[in-house]
Amino acid sequence: MNQHLRQEPVAFIDVHAQRRRLGASIDDAVGRVLTHCQFINGPEVTQLESDLAKFSGAKHVVACASGTDALLMVLMAKNVGPGDAVICPSFTFCATGEVVALTGATPVFVDVDETSFNINIDSLKRGIAAAKKLGLKPKAVIPVDLFGQSADHDAIAAVAAAEGLFILDDAAQSFGATYKGRRLGTFGLATATSFFPAKPLGCFGDGGAIFTDDAELADALRSVRVHGQGNEKYDNVRIGLTARLDTMQAAILIEKLKIFEDEIVARNVVAQRYFDALHNLVIAPRVADGNLSVWAQYTIRLPKDGPGRDAFAAALKAQGIPTAIYYPKSMHQQTAYKHYPVAEGGLPVSEKLSEEVISLPMHAYLDQPTQERVIKAVRDALGA
Ligand SMILES: *Cc1c(COP(=O)(O)O)cnc(C)c1O
């Protein structure tokens, strides 16, 4: 194609568009921090925690340095360690299982459902059984709300209650999503989220938060966040981390949270347009009744008789349309995690999804003409 006629490449996630929209309000927020110079534990951190509590409905919010730290801090505060098993889905970002391994506990990987991409309840039960057979003590389950959609929290809670496990919800991709009309952040013992820039609610660096209704846990998390500090500054009462959210990121997040509901609506408009145009051609994602997704990713599966995933991605790339594969390997297939136990019967759905999924550009500012380009490129690549 003639270079002059070639259209601009489409952004997979357009962080510039939101920056343009927020413009001066972000500049002012950063300016205020530069004026007061309380870069650690500034007033914006407490303000953000209270704004997030209000938004989610959780009683306590502890801001922290990343989504990974958010997960790890809960396991540390609950004294999860060697001899314990923590059950997690294998089809997820590596941080979910990584934090378990970091505590010295054993991650036990279980399978997911092929429509929701989230934890499969029968496999969860089989994972608990596998842990017990190995002489491990099942302590917790970390369901993941993958790609923006909530896991089936009622079903998970029933299994966890029967087995005496606590639930740590990994909502790194799904803050703002609802389950049966209620926002994530209030299911299980605690919920972890991430403010990595590409997440639905992202900051301008790394950041995260933990949500809980348990006051004692919230206190322990505030201690873990700063080296396990106790009431006396130099008498640390537990082993902790340096896992604070810095004031600058909190100031930015306060402004971004103000437009987040509006962005969630916009993301759902984009998702609906994709669904209408593509659901006859590919396996399009479906949101369970009663759930609202925040569409961290728009992840499709290609028809078996089509061009194959690599050729499909190459055809879109040639049209300036980026795609991404989340995740080409499930956790139990990765070098660092292969030796950990899995649910009996293996994880065939995770393995199949890793071969079939591909994600299309998705963000709140994907306008209709640009999205039509993506849709046309998909149709062309599939010969439709
Ligand atoms: C992004 C992500 C994390 C980790 O968040 P960071 O802020 O990058 O540390 C954890 N779990 C899932 C499912 C994620 O997508």
Side-chain angles (χ1 to χ4, degrees):
M1 192 195 288
N2 184 317
Q3 281 300 318
H4 293 286
L5 295 177
R6 201 179 188 121
Q7 290 173 287
E8 284 290 304
V10 171
F12 190 70
I13 292 176
D14 192 347
V15 285
H16 294 271
Q18 186 202 49
R19 175 75 187 98
R20 284 193 296 274
R21 171 176 175 185
L22 285 171
S25 76
I26 296 267
D27 296 352
D28 293 349
V30 169
R32 285 192 292 275
V33 178
L34 292 176
T35 303
H36 68 51
C37 287
Q38 295 178 59
F39 300 121
I40 298 292
N41 290 339
E44 285 83 355
V45 177
T46 324
Q47 176 69 50
L48 174 69
E49 287 177 339
S50 127
D51 291 355
L52 289 170
K54 213 170 177 192
F55 185 91
S56 64
K59 287 206 178 97
H60 308 278
V61 176
V62 178
C64 64
S66 72
T68 306
D69 281 342
L71 292 165
L72 179 60
M73 285 165 66
V74 174
L75 298 181
M76 289 173 75
K78 295 295 289 177
N79 295 311
V80 171
D84 295 335
V86 177
I87 320 297
C88 27
S90 184
F91 189 67
T92 179
F93 180 63
C94 66
T96 311
E98 181 184 40
V99 292
V100 178
L102 281 171
T103 65
T106 303
V108 176
F109 295 111
V110 303
D111 216 353
V112 296
D113 276 335
E114 79 173 61
T115 28
S116 67
F117 305 117
N118 285 327
I119 201 163
N120 173 278
I121 300 301
D122 291 329
S123 190
L124 168 60
K125 291 178 186 162
R126 288 197 296 273
I128 295 167
K132 287 181 184 165
K133 256 195 197 164
L134 291 166
L136 298 165
K137 182 176 182 337
K139 257 287 190 54
V141 52
I142 309 184
V144 178
D145 310 293
L146 203 71
F147 301 150
Q149 178 171 204
S150 172
D152 187 356
H153 285 290
D154 284 349
I156 295 161
V159 175
E163 297 283 348
L165 311 186
F166 74 83
I167 298 168
L168 165 56
D169 186 25
D170 181 348
Q173 301 183 7
S174 299
F175 184 64
T178 66
Y179 174 74
K180 299 191 176 167
R182 217 166 94 205
R183 283 227 166 94
L184 297 187
T186 55
F187 297 94
L189 173 71
T191 301
T193 200
S194 164
F195 302 126
F196 182 79
K199 309 284 180 175
L201 178 64
C203 59
F204 289 177
D206 280 305
I210 303 149
F211 303 76
T212 185
D213 283 351
D214 183 324
E216 208 176 306
L217 177 63
D219 282 345
L221 291 169
R222 292 183 199 281
S223 165
V224 169
R225 180 167 65 175
V226 190
H227 304 292
Q229 71 181 10
N231 292 331
E232 281 176 60
K233 188 164 181 198
Y234 290 105
D235 182 27
N236 294 300
V237 297
R238 56 166 65 75
I239 308 295
L241 301 165
T242 318
R244 292 171 293 240
L245 180 73
D246 62 74
T247 312
M248 202 72 92
Q249 299 304 337
I252 289 162
L253 281 164
I254 288 169
E255 298 310 313
K256 300 218 324 179
L257 186 59
K258 291 177 187 165
I259 61 162
F260 188 44
E261 289 208 55
D262 184 50
E263 291 183 330
I264 294 172
V265 172
R267 284 173 177 275
N268 277 283
V269 170
V270 172
Q272 188 63 49
R273 276 194 221 124
Y274 270 145
F275 184 84
D276 293 344
L278 299 178
H279 77 276
N280 287 329
L281 297 173
V282 301
I283 304 179
R286 290 189 185 258
V287 177
D289 285 345
N291 279 4
L292 176 76
S293 176
V294 292
W295 299 105
Q297 302 295 340
Y298 195 87
T299 303
I300 61 170
R301 291 159 61 201
L302 299 175
K304 302 239 176 326
D305 53 0
R309 187 166 64 179
D310 292 346
F312 177 82
L316 265 65
K317 191 168 178 221
Q319 303 290 324
I321 315 292
T323 55
I325 293 167
Y326 303 112
Y327 297 91
K329 279 186 178 182
S330 291
M331 283 202 74
H332 73 286
Q333 299 175 299
Q334 297 177 21
T335 308
Y337 300 98
K338 272 184 185 143
H339 63 288
Y340 287 113
V342 300
E344 278 158 48
L347 314 183
V349 177
S350 297
E351 290 172 17
K352 182 170 82 160
L353 290 176
S354 292
E355 286 172 11
E356 291 181 359
V357 291
I358 186 160
S359 302
L360 301 177
M362 166 53 82
H363 56 85
Y365 303 93
L366 188 55
D367 59 48
Q368 190 156 6
T370 311
Q371 196 176 358
E372 294 300 339
R373 270 182 66 195
V374 179
I375 289 165
K376 179 167 188 313
V378 170
R379 298 187 71 89
D380 290 351
L382 296 173

